Amino acid sequence: MRRILLFGALIGVAWGTQTFSGDQVLRAEPCNDEQVDLLKQLEAREPLRLDFWHFPSYPNHPVDIQVPFAYLQSVKVFLESHHVKYSVLIEDVQAKVDEESREMELNQRHERSRSSFNFAAYHPLESIFQAMDDIVAHYPQLVSKVQIGESYEKRPLNVLKFSTGGTNRPAIWIDAGIHAREWVTQATALWTANQIACDYGHDPVLTSVLDAMDIFLLPVANPDGYVFSHTKNRMWRKTRSKVPGSSCIGVDPNRNWDAGFGGPGASSNPCSDSYHGPSANSEAEVRSIVEFIKSHGNVKAFISIHSYSQLMMYPYGYQCNNPKDSKELDEVVKAATNALASLYGTKYKVGPICSVIYQASGGSIDWSYDYGIKYSFAFELRDTGRHGFLLPANQIIPTAEETWLALKTTMDYVRGHPY
């Protein structure tokens, strides 16, 4: 029976949009190392097709798992038999996906009738690109578009450059959406781009930053994956590159950087969501960013925006030793998240990746820090698991607004502490 169910599911994926009817997201709470190891064993059972929204890491760190309906009972029995405490975060994943789709369709009709862009909604890639072009058109003396490369499927990697003039000025890099399904990150980045353009000359903190530095913002770092998450599989995380010798598609682009590549927290299995790829920088998307940063030569901050968990982190992920600048970096993230919390009271945890979330090798901010960019940070935006990757669109603007306060605090600190 399991083989029949699995075959049917695979046929559905091959010929249409993947559905998640009856799938649930469970939160397991391992209380000791043995239970963490049991969850890692569960993760390795490929026939179950479990999707780990939060990977197993340490005792008392929650593990969020999307479980297909066909295996729901088996997984629950497994957890109960090993005395692993769990709860249900999402009762029916497909119901939430359907609700999200209905909201997007309604918004698209409203946008067409009003000829306006709604930053409080999720959008397909072409709408994001059009909104970026509109920002450039409205603020041509401040904003320009730079294509830094192409994705595996030849989509442009479009960056917005905010500059008040000058050549090779110190710069701040911000990217979002490196994991395709984290839709609130692309939406937040686009809102942020518009905010930067609108606020220059009005907000004294932002104005002082842009009078001294350029900002480069990549709202969709994984365009192929993002398109696939809209058209075929809402829960798609990876790139869409073909893996030699495997029928499985894609690489985790945040395990593909040349920073402890292939180490703990990254998988050598091409079918895994955390597959590190055949080699460091094998992915066109990662390689393009690396080449841009290197060719620019004067990037002073590297900020990557993810979701979810409400965290602001600094290196390292590939090792559990603190970087030499950890004291200063800790002060920055505490100041930034205090500013963030001042708006809606949203609480963030802060610290190095390895201790705050889990050990993960081949990550972007580890690479940027080791390359010499001292101010390297990663955000995990809302929420803490109630909605996870399916954050309702009505939380986009509050998420973006509070994140903007953290970004401004960080950028202002970078401006005031040249190195």
Side-chain angles (χ1 to χ4, degrees), residues 119-384:
F119 287 95
Y122 294 119
H123 292 86
L125 183 67
E126 60 270 20
S127 297
I128 292 176
F129 281 173
Q130 183 58 58
M132 292 169 66
D133 288 341
D134 290 344
I135 292 171
V136 173
H138 286 134
Y139 302 94
Q141 294 183 331
L142 179 67
V143 192
S144 58
K145 185 173 73 174
V146 181
Q147 183 179 336
I148 65 166
E150 289 183 332
S151 67
Y152 177 82
E153 294 177 341
K154 305 302 181 185
R155 293 185 175 90
L157 294 170
N158 289 329
V159 171
L160 292 178
K161 177 184 179 181
F162 300 84
S163 180
T164 55
T167 57
N168 199 38
R169 299 201 309 168
I172 294 168
W173 170 271
I174 305 171
D175 66 68
I178 197 167
H179 288 144
R181 61 186 175 186
E182 298 169 6
W183 284 9
V184 73
T185 70
Q186 297 95 338
T188 292
L190 193 58
W191 182 95
T192 300
N194 190 61
Q195 195 71 13
I196 294 171
C198 292
D199 278 6
Y200 177 71
H202 303 286
D203 182 308
V205 172
L206 174 67
T207 302
S208 67
V209 169
L210 279 175
D211 283 346
M213 310 182 76
D214 295 341
I215 299 172
F216 292 90
L217 174 57
L218 174 60
V220 187
N222 178 8
D224 297 348
Y226 186 67
V227 169
F228 197 77
S229 73
H230 275 264
T231 57
K232 294 294 184 181
N233 181 347
R234 174 63 181 86
M235 291 302 138
W236 189 259
R237 167 184 168 96
K238 301 191 288 183
T239 63
R240 293 294 301 163
S241 61
K242 292 181 180 177
V243 179
S246 175
S247 60
C248 292
I249 297 291
V251 167
D252 182 340
N254 206 40
R255 301 291 186 275
N256 190 239
W257 301 69
D258 193 8
F261 177 80
S267 176
S268 59
N269 178 359
C271 299
S272 169
D273 262 354
S274 58
Y275 174 52
H276 52 56
S279 61
N281 300 341
S282 64
E283 300 312 282
E285 299 81 358
V286 172
R287 193 165 58 248
S288 295
I289 299 173
V290 168
E291 290 173 355
F292 175 79
I293 297 294
K294 287 182 173 181
S295 65
H296 185 280
N298 202 17
V299 174
K300 298 300 183 182
F302 188 106
I303 300 169
S304 191
I305 301 176
H306 298 250
S307 74
Y308 60 98
S309 285
Q310 295 173 198
L311 310 170
M312 187 173 178
M313 300 173 290
Y314 51 86
Y316 283 112
Y318 72 82
Q319 60 177 340
C320 294
N321 299 320
N322 288 340
K324 64 180 186 298
D325 302 297
S326 60
K327 185 175 184 297
E328 182 184 9
L329 298 180
D330 203 65
E331 291 172 356
V332 175
V333 296
K334 284 176 179 174
T337 53
N338 283 341
L340 183 152
S342 70
L343 190 59
Y344 297 113
T346 307
K347 300 299 183 185
Y348 269 52
K349 294 180 180 178
V350 301
I353 296 168
C354 189
S355 61
V356 171
I357 188 166
Y358 42 66
Q359 190 169 6
S361 304
S364 64
I365 71 165
D366 282 358
W367 172 82
S368 61
Y369 183 81
D370 281 349
Y371 185 66
I373 302 173
K374 177 165 67 168
Y375 300 116
S376 293
F377 303 106
F379 283 87
E380 294 278 356
L381 304 184
R382 293 189 188 187
D383 56 8
T384 56

Side-chain angles (χ1 to χ4, degrees), residues 31-50:
C31 65
N32 53 44
D33 289 331
E34 181 184 0
Q35 290 189 346
V36 171
D37 289 341
L38 283 167
L39 291 171
K40 289 179 179 178
Q41 292 173 27
L42 196 62
E43 181 188 5
R45 295 187 184 182
E46 279 185 37
L48 295 180
R49 296 183 296 114
L50 303 180

